[in-house]
Amino acid sequence: MNLSPASLNAVTQTNVAVAKDYCPRLLLVDDEPRLLSSLYELLRDRDYELVTATNGAEALAQLTRLKFDLILLDLRLPDMSGHEIMDFINAKGIEGDIIVMSGDVGIEAAIGALKRGAYDYLRKPYSREELLKTVENALQKRRLAIDNARIASQLENSEKMYRYLVDSSPDIIYTLNHEGRITFVNDRVQQLLGFSREELIGKHYSVLVHEEDLERARYAFNDRRADERASRNVELRLKSNIGSGIERTFSNTLMTISLNAIGMHVPEQDVKQREFFGTYGVARDITDRKRAEEVISYQAYHDILTDLPNRMLFKDRLGLAVIQAKRKLTELAVMFVDLDRFKLVNDTLGHVKGDELLQQVAQRLKDCLRRGDTLARQGGDEFTIVLPELRDRQDAKSIADKFLESLHRPFDLDGHEVHISASIGIAIYPGDGETIDELLRHADIAMYQVKALGKNGHSFYHNSMLDVSHQKIALEQSLRKALEFNELEMYYQPQIDMATGRIIGAEGLMRWNHPQRGLLSAGEFLPFAEENGLMLPISDWMLGALCRDMLLWNAAGGDAIRLSLNLSPQYLDRGDFFEKMRGALTRYGISPAQIEVEITENICIRNPQYAIEQLNKLCQLGVSVAIDDFGTGYSSLSYLHRFPIHTIKIDQSFVKEIHDEHGHYPVILAIISIARGLGLHLVAEGVETEVQARYLKANGCATMQGYLYHRPLSLANFIDVLNQQQSPSAPAGTRMLHAVPSGSSAAAMIAIQA
């Protein structure tokens, strides 16, 4: 029987457990209650498990149900004799020793019991000491038998384990005699090298070793050291006979092994000096490991997706190029390439298509380079290039132009035609820097300058760009302090119901009271917050500020007015957003029905399922959801069906196109039709003229916000407007307009009859 190591261990552990937890179980059989009770009391204080039977039927039932180590059996029972019970035990092969107890004085009863295998025969009446000694001797004999069986089983299992380990080892296990000839090798040698054990026994080890490794093998295989100094992990290549089909003919297939060898010596008894008589060794096939190491080494210096050099290898090559340029007194260029609109493609079509786009971009860029140039992927959608041995700056400009021209052609992603461009920054050695870090940093700064000027171009680094970069850093530092010094403030732009002219909602807009630059709009600082990880703490601040402000405007009679707040994608992606929203509303006592969360279409596209889960939780809380700037992104009607949307906001870029109230503006009409068909609330943003307002109202848009009605207001001014709206002097149907003259912070209220 061929057992696995797991099953062998299980058997051994079971035997040990049996020996350790051994508690003898005794069956006491006697039809005299007084004697049975006396026997029970005599044995109960011992570590025995006692079971009793008052007749033969009970005894047979217990023997059938349980296993007993010892049976104390009375021969005279009312329904059958003790001999019959012993015959039943022998017939059924039931284990357990039997001590017969009988009052018969005849020798036949004792002989009959002993013939049937009784351990001993006690004649009634017996002494207490005689009984206890007989019971203990019987149990001791049984314990010894169990121990012997366990030891025999362990020896057998140990031998099976040894055979299994040697025969099933994934390694080649071998022994050599003092001449280096193979005296033992396991079956693994045939699986790995194609040689049978019979072919190799008696052969010199050199028949297996590749010629170039013989010297190293001679050192390892002749190792006579038996302690920690014995050979460890010596790598050798062995010849293989697999696939040749010709006996004793080796193919060129070579196998690398890791060899552990240790000298074997005659034991020291009867000899004064240890005698070397051979080598024991284990040869492990590490061919796959060596190949894996080569792959890992390659991947450590290359980008897996594009197969381009990665940042580490690029810096090595740039460092060599700088050394060469310094020696030859030549120039070199470093380019930093960032793809424009890649994130939009990635979010829209998914990461798989985004990866395919990066692979195609990498190939196009490689096709534009000269021999000796290095293109690397820096990470994400960023690439870096080193152009050694420039004749002049025109060489770098020409290659940058080639890049832009190659990227101008559309990319085909499984039927999706995609257009992208790139922003390219260029730094020249030695004028723009003499170290690797300086050149990369200045090329990066030049690239961001291209981004700021509209993207899709290239620019050489200039020292003036560093000042702009420092300004950005200063802005970021100031923004971090803005939270600490309470420089942020919420402004509110009212939303007007065209039927009544009353304020029914307001959009919360963030402002920064900058100590030097004055009041900054959200567009002037939130992009920096997004880039520098400040969006989450700013959003936390906004949530608390909005709730505090709503307490004041509700007190001013604005409790029926809904607040719309813009939600950053980063904030929605954070797992605790819902809990923060619920906690803030509970803490300030704000009704969730007063809150409307505005999301952009890109939030829906980034991670649709997660966004649906988060927005559904908000809706269950009572918060409504609006899509902001509808129609400017990758609009999809499926999102309106799948997402819990209550409101669509027409983007101001569409509203600005309205110049004739009798004109035809199909995009706006389509959005209004979608909202009407789906039963969604509709809000038009950026309404600035009466013509726009009349056109929107005539075509079914009932709610508007824009400079025609109100500019964004501070909380104090917004509460003033609410108080004016609640004033009895304002006639019904009057539209309250709040205008802020250019260059002035003063506010004037104008009432126009609707």
Side-chain angles (χ1 to χ4, degrees):
M1 180 174 61
N2 188 13
L3 296 176
S4 68
S7 61
L8 292 174
N9 284 330
V11 172
T12 302
Q13 290 169 3
T14 300
N15 290 333
V16 172
V18 168
K20 182 179 179 181
D21 299 330
Y22 178 64
C23 178
R25 180 184 291 143
L26 279 61
L27 175 61
L28 313 181
V29 184
D30 202 314
D31 62 334
E32 296 184 28
R34 184 177 58 81
L35 292 177
L36 184 61
S37 175
S38 175
L39 183 60
Y40 187 91
E41 290 299 324
L42 184 61
L43 298 173
R44 67 179 298 180
D45 293 334
R46 310 273 173 159
D47 291 331
Y48 304 147
E49 180 183 345
L50 302 177
V51 179
T52 62
T54 59
N55 55 52
E58 288 184 13
L60 296 183
Q62 295 291 3
L63 288 167
T64 304
R65 186 172 65 90
L66 299 172
K67 291 183 178 181
F68 293 93
D69 296 280
L70 185 60
I71 303 159
L72 278 64
L73 177 63
D74 184 16
L75 287 182
R76 289 186 178 182
L77 298 171
D79 52 349
M80 64 180 69
S81 70
H83 288 159
E84 290 178 295
I85 293 176
M86 295 177 71
D87 291 338
F88 175 83
I89 291 173
N90 292 329
K92 296 295 185 181
I94 297 174
E95 294 184 3
D97 292 323
I98 301 172
I99 298 176
V100 173
M101 303 176 298
S102 176
D104 289 341
V105 295
I107 193 65
E108 291 81 6
I111 293 174
L114 294 175
K115 282 184 177 180
R116 288 173 172 82
Y119 171 76
D120 206 344
Y121 185 93
L122 296 179
R123 191 179 302 277
K124 297 180 180 178
Y126 45 78
S127 68
R128 176 179 179 276
E129 291 75 14
E130 182 184 12
L131 174 68
L132 292 177
K133 183 176 181 181
T134 303
V135 168
E136 183 58 34
N137 288 342
L139 292 176
Q140 179 64 20
K141 172 198 167 189
R142 185 162 184 81
R143 277 192 290 267
L144 291 174
I146 291 175
D147 288 342
N148 288 336
R150 174 173 54 82
I151 292 170
S153 176
Q154 288 176 342
L155 289 174
E156 182 183 359
N157 291 338
S158 177
E159 183 180 352
K160 289 180 179 178
M161 178 71 79
Y162 169 77
R163 290 200 304 268
Y164 179 86
L165 291 176
V166 172
D167 293 339
S168 304
S169 172
D171 304 328
I172 298 174
I173 300 174
Y174 66 92
T175 59
L176 306 175
N177 65 13
H178 64 285
E179 295 177 345
R181 297 186 179 276
I182 300 171
T183 55
F184 170 81
V185 65
N186 65 347
D187 289 338
R188 186 63 171 163
V189 71
Q190 184 159 12
Q191 300 171 27
L192 291 179
L193 301 178
F195 298 99
S196 67
R197 297 170 61 174
E198 292 74 18
E199 288 180 272
L200 296 177
I201 297 297
K203 301 295 191 301
H204 195 268
Y205 67 79
S206 58
V207 300
L208 290 177
V209 181
H210 182 49
E211 288 77 6
E212 295 179 4
D213 294 343
L214 279 174
E215 186 61 33
R216 190 159 63 248
R218 188 174 298 113
Y219 169 79
F221 284 121
N222 289 324
D223 197 341
R224 302 191 177 200
R225 294 171 297 185
D227 52 17
E228 293 80 5
R229 298 173 299 160
S231 297
R232 294 288 185 271
N233 299 324
V234 179
E235 293 186 3
L236 299 172
R237 288 170 293 173
L238 299 186
K239 299 174 182 177
S240 172
N241 196 31
I242 296 175
S244 67
I246 303 175
E247 186 178 0
R248 305 288 302 159
T249 301
F250 306 127
S251 69
N252 289 326
T253 302
L254 300 176
M255 178 169 293
T256 303
I257 69 164
S258 174
L259 176 69
N260 290 321
I262 185 169
M264 298 188 298
H265 298 80
V266 176
E268 294 188 19
Q269 63 259 29
D270 301 329
V271 291
K272 295 183 178 179
Q273 185 174 0
R274 301 177 71 190
E275 179 184 351
F276 174 76
F277 70 93
T279 302
Y280 161 83
V282 177
R284 171 162 296 180
D285 177 14
I286 60 170
T287 306
D288 292 340
R289 194 195 78 188
K290 297 293 288 185
R291 291 172 183 163
E293 287 175 353
E294 293 174 0
V295 172
I296 292 171
S297 177
Y298 182 84
Q299 291 179 348
Y301 292 97
H302 290 79
D303 174 58
I304 297 176
L305 179 64
T306 61
D307 203 36
L308 294 176
N310 61 11
R311 184 181 310 181
M312 189 180 304
L313 181 56
F314 178 80
K315 284 191 172 183
D316 286 345
R317 294 189 179 176
L318 177 55
L320 292 175
V322 167
I323 293 172
Q324 188 176 14
K326 185 179 296 185
R327 183 182 301 121
K328 295 183 178 181
L329 300 178
T330 58
E331 290 185 327
L332 65 82
V334 174
M335 292 185 175
F336 208 107
V337 179
D338 186 273
L339 303 183
D340 304 326
R341 300 182 70 251
F342 173 77
K343 185 177 183 300
L344 184 60
V345 174
N346 209 32
D347 290 345
T348 306
L349 300 181
H351 294 289
V352 174
K353 293 293 179 281
D355 288 347
E356 291 179 13
L357 178 59
L358 288 174
Q359 290 170 335
Q360 293 187 33
V361 167
Q363 187 57 51
R364 291 194 189 182
L365 296 182
K366 283 171 66 176
D367 293 341
C368 298
L369 294 176
R370 312 165 303 174
R371 178 178 295 182
D373 298 340
T374 296
L375 169 68
R377 185 182 177 204
Q378 193 77 358
D381 60 345
E382 297 176 336
F383 297 86
T384 49
I385 300 99
V386 56
L387 308 176
E389 299 186 8
L390 289 183
R391 291 175 300 180
D392 51 38
R393 296 165 69 96
Q394 186 61 36
D395 287 348
K397 181 180 183 302
S398 299
I399 291 178
D401 288 335
K402 286 183 181 180
F403 284 165
L404 297 174
E405 183 181 353
S406 69
L407 296 178
H408 181 72
R409 302 192 308 273
F411 292 85
D412 181 15
L413 302 177
D414 289 340
H416 298 278
E417 187 175 283
V418 173
H419 292 268
I420 64 170
S421 58
S423 300
I424 304 174
I426 309 171
I428 304 296
Y429 170 89
D432 298 332
E434 297 186 0
T435 68
I436 295 173
D437 291 338
E438 279 183 331
L439 291 168
L440 285 172
R441 185 172 69 253
H442 292 164
D444 191 27
I445 291 173
M447 180 272 292
Y448 274 107
Q449 180 73 8
V450 178
K451 290 274 190 186
L453 296 176
K455 307 178 181 180
N456 191 24
H458 60 75
S459 175
F460 286 90
Y461 172 78
H462 189 271
N463 287 334
S464 60
M465 297 179 183
L466 194 58
D467 296 334
V468 175
S469 178
H470 287 160
Q471 290 176 11
K472 291 181 180 179
I473 295 174
L475 181 61
E476 177 193 345
Q477 293 173 343
S478 299
L479 186 54
R480 291 183 184 276
K481 293 180 180 178
L483 284 168
E484 181 182 352
F485 295 112
N486 200 29
E487 296 173 358
L488 299 179
E489 182 181 359
M490 293 306 301
Y491 272 55
Y492 302 95
Q493 185 168 34
Q495 297 171 344
I496 306 300
D497 179 16
M498 297 301 293
T500 63
R502 298 179 66 83
I503 298 172
I504 61 171
E507 179 179 357
L509 302 170
M510 198 176 298
R511 296 291 183 264
W512 179 9
N513 293 300
H514 194 281
Q516 285 82 38
R517 299 173 59 184
L519 191 66
L520 302 181
S521 66
E524 295 179 84
F525 63 89
L526 285 186
F528 292 97
E530 292 272 4
E531 292 176 7
N532 296 286
L534 294 173
M535 203 61 226
L536 298 183
I538 286 178
S539 297
D540 285 341
W541 173 88
M542 177 188 72
L543 197 56
L546 289 173
C547 290
R548 290 190 294 271
D549 288 357
M550 287 188 73
L551 288 179
L552 297 177
W553 91 25
N554 285 345
D559 52 338
I561 296 175
R562 175 177 292 173
L563 167 68
S564 296
L565 61 96
N566 291 283
L567 185 63
S568 164
Q570 293 181 11
Y571 204 50
L572 180 65
D573 288 343
R574 194 163 87 171
D576 59 352
F577 160 70
F578 168 75
E579 294 298 333
K580 284 185 174 290
M581 169 68 79
R582 181 170 63 179
L585 296 180
T586 302
R587 186 163 57 254
Y588 291 98
I590 305 297
S591 170
Q594 269 193 276
I595 302 295
E596 183 169 72
V597 170
E598 294 188 12
I599 62 173
T600 63
E601 294 173 65
N602 284 340
I603 289 181
C604 305
I605 296 169
R606 285 162 63 107
N607 191 345
Q609 190 55 45
Y610 181 77
I612 289 172
E613 293 172 2
Q614 295 298 307
L615 297 178
N616 276 328
K617 289 167 70 174
L618 286 177
C619 292
Q620 292 169 7
L621 183 64
V623 174
S624 58
V625 179
I627 287 190
D628 193 16
D629 303 335
F630 184 77
T632 60
Y634 285 78
S635 303
S636 172
L637 294 180
S638 65
Y639 292 133
L640 297 181
H641 282 291
R642 294 172 59 197
F643 283 75
I645 304 300
H646 304 85
T647 301
I648 293 177
K649 300 191 76 173
I650 304 175
D651 186 66
Q652 59 184 341
S653 62
F654 300 128
V655 174
K656 285 182 179 179
E657 298 300 320
I658 302 174
H659 304 296
D660 181 358
E661 63 182 287
H662 302 294
H664 181 64
Y665 302 95
V667 174
I668 290 181
L669 296 178
I671 296 174
I672 294 174
S673 178
I674 289 171
R676 184 184 295 119
L678 296 177
L680 302 177
H681 184 223
L682 190 66
V683 178
E685 296 181 300
V687 180
E688 297 182 351
T689 68
E690 289 289 347
V691 170
Q692 294 168 350
R694 286 194 294 268
Y695 179 85
L696 291 166
K697 181 179 180 181
N699 286 281
C701 181
T703 305
M704 304 182 195
Q705 72 180 68
Y707 286 2
L708 177 62
Y709 305 101
H710 295 280
R711 289 177 178 268
L713 305 171
S714 66
L715 176 63
N717 288 336
F718 181 66
I719 290 177
D720 287 344
V721 172
L722 292 181
N723 289 331
Q724 290 289 339
Q725 180 168 281
Q726 301 299 326
S727 173
S729 62
T734 299
R735 182 166 71 236
M736 308 302 296
L737 301 185
H738 186 231
V740 180
S742 176
S744 171
S745 61
M749 294 298 301
I750 305 174
I752 300 179
Q753 188 69 31

